[in-house]
Amino acid sequence: MISVSKALSIISEVLYTPKTKTVLLKDTNGLRLSKNIPTPIHMPPFRQSAMDGYALLLHDKNTYQIIGEVKAGDADDYSLLPGQGVRIFTGARVPDNANTIVIQEKVIRSENTITINEEIHQNQNIRATGEQIKKGDIALEKGTKISPAGIGFLAGLGITDLEVFVPPSAAIITTGNELIAPGQKLQEGKIYESNSVQLQAVLEQFQIKEINKYIVQDEYESTKETIRQAIKNNDLVLISGGISVGDYDFVKEALSELGTEELFYKIKQKPGKPLFFGKNKETFIFALPGNPASSLTCFYIYVIPVIQKIMGDSASAGLKRTLKSLTKDFIKKGDRAQFLKAKVSNETVEILEGQSSAMLHSYAVANALVFIPENISKVDKDSLVETILLPD
Ligand code: AMP
Ligand code: MG
């Protein structure tokens, strides 16, 4: 049995060759760039008016003759003499020799003459060519996570597709004779299966769309064959249940029989003691405990850094951690580290009732996990505790 920190350091050191592909810009939200993106054009591409008003070539009087008009989208240029100007609108091309723009609210117009009653200066309200970014500069760097603003920014540069790190394809294998799919009639001794939908939902939160689901009974041969298939066809395999020490837990034996390299098995933690992590060829495998809360907690703590690694997040540091002040005293029994379902509000965190690894009720309203290290047995109210924020 290893410590939580040892398990996390094994994950952070595991090697992986990322896969990349070219994706339409509109489909890149949440993905990371696998190379630097050079800017193909100046932005803005020409001198642009930032306001509705008049583009002028300044002189020493406060009246100007207006000799034309440039709307957004027009290509016209005007050669102005000092004291001349054109009507202009936001986003329009500024005449090459205009040296300022005065906003229309500061102007009195009569026929083709304007009078300005305020002091004006050169270069007001003009967006210079390449002011935001110049052609050839790096628009966004390798590793940047694409956001809606990033998509907008790159679209504004005329970019239509991007090379990104490919999200892993993921298998979810559910084991357990007692499991019945929701929607079917519940029978004596059976329970509704919930881990696979839960894992699917959390995988989808991390942009993973290629999810293949498998169901096996607690039987050695079919467990082994299903795991073999899943390894062959997926980058990441998540197995639910059957990894403990019961007589009908066949996952561990099947994994080793298939030549899986064991990176760790069993962590000194609650919940999730029997967690297994391994690699078979290029596929990462997690065998998650069947208890629903354990399964999800192990995903949040250990699977996410692996997904981050595959998806090009070089830090792959897992979920965000912060310190929050505890609302009540907490006594920890036993010598295992604990991850506790919790609720953060502002600067405080409350450890919720119902911490059993079988219970999801409290998890369904939690927004955080409180981490209590193995060597701590009591935490006082108002002390700061390490708090792991769950993804929105
Ligand atoms: P196991 O890890 O297979 O020993 O399962 C531990 C506990 O989790 C048992 O009470 C199982 O019935 C329950 N369990 C296992 N798999 C699932 C699942 N997919 N959905 C809901 N409960 C499960
Ligand atoms: Mg089982």
Side-chain angles (χ1 to χ4, degrees):
M1 199 142 58
I2 59 169
S3 68
V4 168
S5 57
K6 178 69 183 162
L8 288 173
S9 85
I10 290 172
I11 285 177
S12 79
E13 280 157 24
V14 84
L15 296 178
Y16 176 73
T17 317
K19 295 179 192 160
T20 64
K21 70 173 174 188
T22 302
V23 174
L24 287 176
L25 178 66
K26 70 179 179 62
D27 298 327
T28 59
N29 195 23
L31 302 180
R32 282 177 194 271
L33 292 172
S34 60
K35 57 183 192 191
N36 291 343
I37 304 295
T39 306
I41 56 168
H42 290 312
M43 191 65 193
F46 52 87
R47 283 211 309 161
Q48 244 176 19
S49 176
M51 301 294 273
D52 297 320
Y54 295 87
L56 310 173
L57 181 55
L58 290 170
H59 68 163
D60 55 8
K61 302 194 188 66
N62 63 352
T63 58
Y64 286 81
Q65 184 200 4
I66 302 307
I67 63 165
E69 177 180 281
V70 195
K71 305 189 295 297
D74 288 352
D76 310 332
D77 189 20
Y78 284 86
S79 182
L80 304 174
L81 298 171
Q84 287 187 331
V86 291
R87 180 79 169 113
I88 200 159
F89 300 95
T90 305
R93 179 186 188 285
V94 179
D96 286 348
N97 74 337
N99 59 6
T100 200
I101 288 174
V102 61
I103 63 172
Q104 63 191 43
E105 290 85 347
K106 292 190 174 170
V107 159
I108 297 164
R109 179 157 184 173
S110 100
E111 308 263 306
N112 286 334
T113 304
I114 60 166
T115 306
I116 306 161
N117 291 320
E118 284 185 37
E119 208 181 327
I120 49 172
H121 305 282
Q122 285 209 11
N123 290 324
Q124 284 180 182
N125 305 312
I126 296 176
R127 298 176 190 146
T129 304
E131 175 184 276
Q132 185 177 175
I133 193 159
K134 295 193 174 42
K135 182 175 173 174
D137 286 356
I138 301 297
L140 292 176
E141 282 180 8
K142 175 180 173 178
T144 305
K145 189 172 181 179
I146 300 295
S147 64
I151 290 179
F153 172 52
L154 297 177
L157 300 175
I159 289 170
T160 54
D161 41 43
L162 295 176
E163 202 182 291
V164 293
F165 291 105
V166 187
S169 54
I172 302 172
I173 304 176
T174 314
T175 73
N177 290 354
E178 73 279 31
L179 303 173
I180 287 192
Q184 298 193 322
K185 191 169 180 310
L186 198 57
Q187 296 156 22
E188 199 56 48
K190 309 282 187 189
I191 58 165
Y192 285 126
E193 195 280 309
S194 62
N195 286 348
S196 74
V197 278
Q198 175 172 275
L199 290 170
Q200 178 168 7
V202 74
L203 284 167
E204 285 171 355
Q205 260 187 324
F206 285 83
Q207 321 296 325
I208 296 169
K209 299 198 175 101
E210 196 188 327
I211 299 172
N212 302 299
K213 289 172 132 184
Y214 305 78
I215 297 172
V216 284
Q217 298 292 299
D218 294 320
E219 191 271 318
Y220 177 68
E221 278 306 321
S222 58
T223 301
K224 189 172 103 182
E225 280 320 301
T226 305
I227 297 176
R228 186 202 303 280
Q229 282 305 316
I231 290 172
K232 199 168 126 214
N233 297 320
N234 296 275
D235 303 309
L236 176 66
V237 172
L238 305 179
I239 305 166
S240 154
I243 189 61
S244 214
V245 291
D247 290 353
Y248 297 91
D249 291 334
F250 296 116
V251 169
K252 177 78 172 46
E253 190 185 341
L255 283 168
S256 34
E257 200 56 28
L258 292 166
T260 306
E261 179 192 358
E262 178 180 317
L263 295 165
F264 62 70
Y265 177 47
K266 293 196 175 158
I267 304 179
K268 213 171 166 195
Q269 65 178 6
K270 199 174 161 191
K273 186 171 95 177
L275 178 67
F276 172 96
F277 176 49
K279 210 175 170 199
N280 194 312
K281 302 197 179 71
E282 276 299 291
T283 300
F284 288 116
I285 301 156
F286 283 94
L288 305 164
N291 270 313
S294 312
S295 168
L296 187 58
T297 296
C298 288
F299 185 97
Y300 280 139
I301 305 301
Y302 302 100
V303 183
I304 286 173
V306 171
I307 292 174
Q308 289 171 327
K309 190 181 286 256
I310 297 175
M311 291 177 73
D313 178 355
S314 53
S316 70
L319 294 176
K320 195 163 176 254
R321 291 176 184 234
T322 179
L323 292 174
K324 296 283 171 190
S325 152
L326 202 57
T327 56
K328 280 187 274 190
D329 290 352
F330 177 77
I331 309 253
K332 177 168 79 67
K333 297 195 196 92
D335 59 356
R336 284 187 273 162
Q338 288 198 14
F339 293 97
L340 299 152
K341 298 161 238 178
K343 192 156 189 188
V344 165
S345 12
N346 302 320
E347 290 315 305
T348 64
V349 64
E350 176 196 352
I351 294 174
L352 298 170
E353 295 297 317
Q355 289 296 334
S356 152
S357 57
M359 291 183 183
L360 284 179
H361 193 176
S362 50
Y363 226 151
V365 295
N367 60 8
L369 293 170
V370 163
F371 177 64
I372 310 285
E374 57 186 63
N375 57 341
I376 304 273
S377 54
K378 181 170 187 289
V379 187
D380 295 330
K381 179 177 184 291
D382 298 331
S383 325
L384 292 176
V385 284
E386 188 168 350
T387 304
I388 300 153
L389 304 176
L390 302 183
D392 284 337

